[in-house]
Amino acid sequence: MDWLVSLLGAGLVLAALRDLFHTLWHPTRRGGASRLVMTALWRLSHLFPARRGMNELVGPLAMVTVVGMWTCLVVLGWALVYLPHMPEGFAFGAGLAPHEHGDLLDSLYVSLVNLATLGIGDIAPTAGWLRLVAPLEALVGLALLTATVSWVLQIYPALARRRSLALRLAMLRRVQPPAQYLHSATGAALLEGIAAEVVRIRVDFTQYPDAYYFHDGEEDLSLAATIGFAVDLGRRGHSSEQSEVRLAATVLGNALADLALALDQRFLRTGGTPAEVFTAYAHDHGRRPPLP
């Protein structure tokens, strides 16, 4: 029975590490529990549509919740590994009576100390295999800290790229490029540049899907609110007599269709056309439908 408890603890640790790996380092970035947590918080934020400040905290709060979940699973898992071997498998410091320190609370204490690499040493393992397991937990703690920092460093550049494209589209929408400008070599270069940025955003949604659960604040910084103008520019480019403009417009249209497909498959599940997907994207982020 004691070994079953330890095996249960090892299973919790492995589940946390597997979810961490799939969330941060797997090519498809399809974390199981972490994705459920972030989606649940995102849907919960929709119950408070008028509280913009609260909604803008969903992304950071979701990240903190997921990291907290991983930490709790690792701490509890290792505590269950230690529990059946308390107190006979451990040496206790002066002033600590072993017969008074053999419950789950003490196992959690040992697990937290090892995970945080505090090295207090008032309760230390003496059994051979436990002396190997305890430093291993410290290594997992370092890996968890490193993973958290790398996650933050990955997410925010992706958000910056998305908001940069949204702001560029918002400014173009305000100035409304005239037909003679758009139907020229300069217009073709403009469409190609927007297409390249759309492709980068599409890759970001694949590489860093958790960025979807971040609100973008101002209207002009929200891709959900401005993506419709990119669709309109592509449509206007298709009517040009210049072949290079039509080619650039086709590339932009394909990039937008691919972005819509990625959004629909990963987040929205509408099964609709790109226009319908972008409308659902706008509604999901609390924006007006992306009209040109």
Side-chain angles (χ1 to χ4, degrees), residues 3-288:
W3 284 103
L4 289 177
V5 175
S6 293
L7 286 175
L8 174 61
L12 290 177
V13 173
L14 290 175
L17 294 179
R18 180 188 181 279
D19 192 68
L20 186 152
F21 173 78
H22 278 267
T23 300
L24 300 184
W25 296 309
H26 194 275
T28 62
R29 295 293 184 100
R30 295 182 181 272
S34 62
R35 175 60 63 84
L36 291 176
V37 169
M38 300 191 83
T39 302
L41 288 174
W42 178 257
R43 297 305 176 205
L44 185 62
S45 73
H46 286 51
L47 300 178
F48 308 96
R51 300 192 177 184
R52 178 70 62 188
M54 179 183 295
N55 292 340
E56 290 175 2
L57 292 176
V58 171
L61 179 61
M63 291 182 69
V64 171
T65 303
V66 169
V67 172
M69 177 191 69
W70 291 335
T71 303
C72 289
L73 284 175
V74 171
V75 170
L76 178 60
W78 243 285
L80 292 177
V81 171
Y82 299 143
L83 181 61
H85 310 284
M86 297 282 288
E88 63 275 3
F90 292 81
F92 293 80
L96 295 178
H99 65 277
E100 297 177 354
H101 297 277
D103 56 13
L104 179 60
L105 182 61
D106 293 285
S107 297
L108 288 171
Y109 167 74
V110 173
S111 181
L112 275 170
V113 168
N114 289 333
L115 186 70
T117 64
L118 294 177
I120 295 176
D122 52 350
I123 304 178
T126 56
W129 69 276
L130 286 176
R131 295 177 66 187
L132 295 177
V133 168
L136 182 61
E137 183 178 9
L139 290 176
V140 171
L142 290 174
L144 185 59
L145 176 61
T146 303
T148 301
V149 173
S150 67
W151 197 13
V152 173
L153 294 178
Q154 290 171 353
I155 287 290
Y156 282 92
L159 291 174
R161 288 188 290 271
R162 187 173 82 197
R163 291 164 181 170
S164 176
L165 173 59
L167 186 58
R168 183 183 184 188
L169 290 173
M171 290 188 295
L172 285 171
R173 183 170 57 185
R174 283 198 293 269
V175 300
Q176 288 293 332
Q180 62 268 26
Y181 172 86
L182 191 61
H183 299 168
S184 66
T186 306
L190 172 67
L191 296 179
E192 289 173 356
I194 294 175
E197 292 189 58
V198 170
V199 169
R200 279 195 291 269
I201 302 306
R202 185 259 185 268
V203 172
D204 282 342
F205 276 125
T206 301
Q207 293 277 324
Y208 318 112
D210 312 309
Y212 179 87
Y213 302 106
F214 282 71
H215 283 278
D216 290 315
E218 300 174 21
E219 186 92 1
D220 284 352
L221 294 176
S222 174
L223 186 64
T226 60
I227 192 66
F229 190 68
V231 175
D232 182 56
L233 285 175
R235 187 183 304 117
R236 290 168 59 187
H238 278 296
S239 64
S240 174
E241 296 180 356
Q242 300 288 330
S243 59
E244 58 183 335
V245 176
R246 292 197 304 273
L247 176 60
T250 301
V251 172
L252 175 58
N254 290 339
L256 289 167
D258 196 45
L259 173 61
L261 181 62
L263 287 170
D264 202 42
Q265 289 180 341
R266 285 181 169 265
F267 310 106
L268 299 170
R269 313 289 184 182
T270 68
T273 64
E276 292 169 339
V277 172
F278 289 140
T279 298
Y281 178 37
H283 284 308
D284 203 34
H285 279 254
R287 305 295 182 180
R288 297 189 301 272

